[in-house]
Amino acid sequence: MPARVAHPESIVETDWVGEHGGDENVRLVEVDVDTSAYDQGHIAGAVGLNWTTQLNDTLRRDILNKEQMRKLLGESGIGRNTTVVLYGDNNNWFASYAFWQMKMFGHKRVKLMNGGRQKWIAEGRRTTTDASSHAARTYRATDADTSIRASRDYVLNVASTDNNIGLVDVRAPAEFSGELLAPANLPQEGSQRGGHIPGASNIPCASAVSEADGTFKSVEELRQIYGGKGITPDKEIITYCRIGERSAHTWFALTQILGYNKVRNYDGSWTEYGSIVGAPIER
């Protein structure tokens, strides 16, 4: 009998979305790497969030604070009891990033659509270019749960000491080695130096999903992928990539599918770490 997903309430299939996406207390939210994708066609009723302008404080270069999250979700027609279903392109990179942020601010009813935009379209399901409009609601966010976030100083301390913390660099091998500062197709934001944090294991986020449809691999396969590199549930784990979205995808795989209890996403990631003067790196 296949092992069960640790948090089945956090992931739904396209069939479920097809049946329940229009329910009164369900809000679909699309978040894409390609910020023009939503306008080209999206699931009917879905709200489109732009990760560059709406899921970041562009002045502070930081994630949203409590008040900004409250405003964003409320204006999207989301209340504390709304079931939010997130999906997007590139195997749900930024949908996972939005999931991680919403969990940080205490939203309990949030799910990821397995396979994301790619799977929905590949199955021939209907999309629309009509903009979605939902009545604003009052949203009450909690204070941020920073136990699922790793700061620069926290990571620098980990990189400089002997500890039992597992670092997972989820970038492509060419980024991990220092050959590239960013993915070849996304070169707009990089660091000053190439390489990786000392002691990190390179487990690209793409290894967690099926090439065929972008859905997560089985629990057994994921245990083998991460456990085989020493990323085990008895350790505290820190995931990172270039700007925090691919590492949020791995954070989701480890916490929601495998049930690891001590995982932090370092959203500053290599763009920040690779530009810190004096920070130790390996190549």
Side-chain angles (χ1 to χ4, degrees):
M1 182 177 178
R4 294 183 72 247
V5 170
H7 292 282
E9 73 280 5
S10 295
I11 191 164
V12 293
E13 302 301 325
T14 51
D15 284 344
W16 188 95
V17 175
E19 293 174 12
H20 299 284
D23 290 359
E24 183 178 352
N25 205 40
V26 172
R27 181 73 65 244
L28 305 180
V29 178
E30 179 170 331
V31 194
D32 300 308
V33 174
D34 174 6
T35 54
S36 68
Y38 176 84
D39 294 329
Q40 297 165 23
H42 51 268
I43 304 174
V47 174
L49 295 184
N50 185 311
W51 68 268
T52 61
T53 59
Q54 292 178 288
L55 287 177
N56 291 279
D57 183 316
T58 56
L59 182 62
R60 295 185 299 119
R61 196 182 180 276
D62 202 351
I63 63 169
L64 301 182
N65 61 31
K66 179 180 176 180
E67 177 59 26
Q68 289 168 326
M69 180 63 78
R70 185 200 66 76
K71 185 171 185 291
L72 176 67
L73 296 183
E75 290 177 350
S76 300
I78 296 169
R80 286 290 292 180
N81 293 320
T82 303
T83 295
V84 177
V85 180
L86 293 152
Y87 75 96
D89 61 4
N90 277 43
N91 298 333
N92 282 328
W93 285 1
F94 276 106
S96 300
Y97 183 77
F99 182 102
W100 170 73
Q101 280 208 55
M102 288 188 68
K103 280 295 187 184
M104 191 180 303
F105 285 100
H107 196 86
K108 290 183 168 59
R109 300 180 181 183
V110 57
K111 306 173 186 291
L112 201 64
M113 185 177 81
N114 202 11
R117 179 184 173 91
Q118 168 194 343
K119 189 169 189 288
W120 183 270
I121 292 174
E123 291 174 343
R125 296 178 184 271
R126 189 172 70 87
T127 61
T128 180
T129 56
D130 294 340
S132 300
S133 178
H134 302 285
R137 302 181 67 175
T138 299
Y139 188 88
R140 293 180 176 83
T142 64
D143 292 329
D145 174 12
T146 56
S147 71
I148 64 173
R149 187 188 193 196
S151 67
R152 175 190 62 191
D153 290 344
Y154 193 89
V155 173
L156 277 171
N157 182 61
V158 168
S160 305
T161 57
D162 186 19
N163 54 69
N164 191 40
I165 296 178
L167 285 159
V168 185
D169 186 319
V170 314
R171 298 176 297 163
E175 295 173 87
F176 182 78
S177 69
E179 178 185 344
L180 295 178
L181 295 179
N185 61 328
L186 297 168
Q188 67 269 29
E189 185 176 1
S191 62
Q192 294 297 308
R193 299 180 296 166
H196 56 268
I197 300 173
S201 298
N202 186 209
I203 311 175
C205 69
S207 63
V209 298
S210 163
E211 256 185 69
D213 61 7
T215 57
F216 284 102
K217 291 179 179 175
S218 70
V219 170
E220 291 87 353
E221 289 174 300
L222 292 175
R223 281 178 181 164
Q224 186 174 8
I225 288 166
Y226 295 108
K229 290 289 188 76
I231 304 304
T232 51
D234 58 301
K235 298 178 180 178
E236 179 181 329
I237 308 297
I238 297 173
T239 63
Y240 75 93
C241 58
R242 178 179 61 113
I243 55 174
E245 86 293 14
R246 286 176 287 175
S247 51
H249 184 271
T250 296
W251 175 90
F252 183 96
L254 291 172
T255 61
Q256 305 305 301
I257 297 181
L258 293 184
Y260 284 31
N261 292 318
K262 298 174 288 185
V263 187
R264 296 174 184 260
N265 180 31
Y266 174 34
D267 55 297
S269 281
W270 193 256
T271 296
E272 177 178 72
Y273 190 92
S275 298
I276 300 172
V277 174
I281 69 168
E282 288 179 349
R283 286 183 178 147

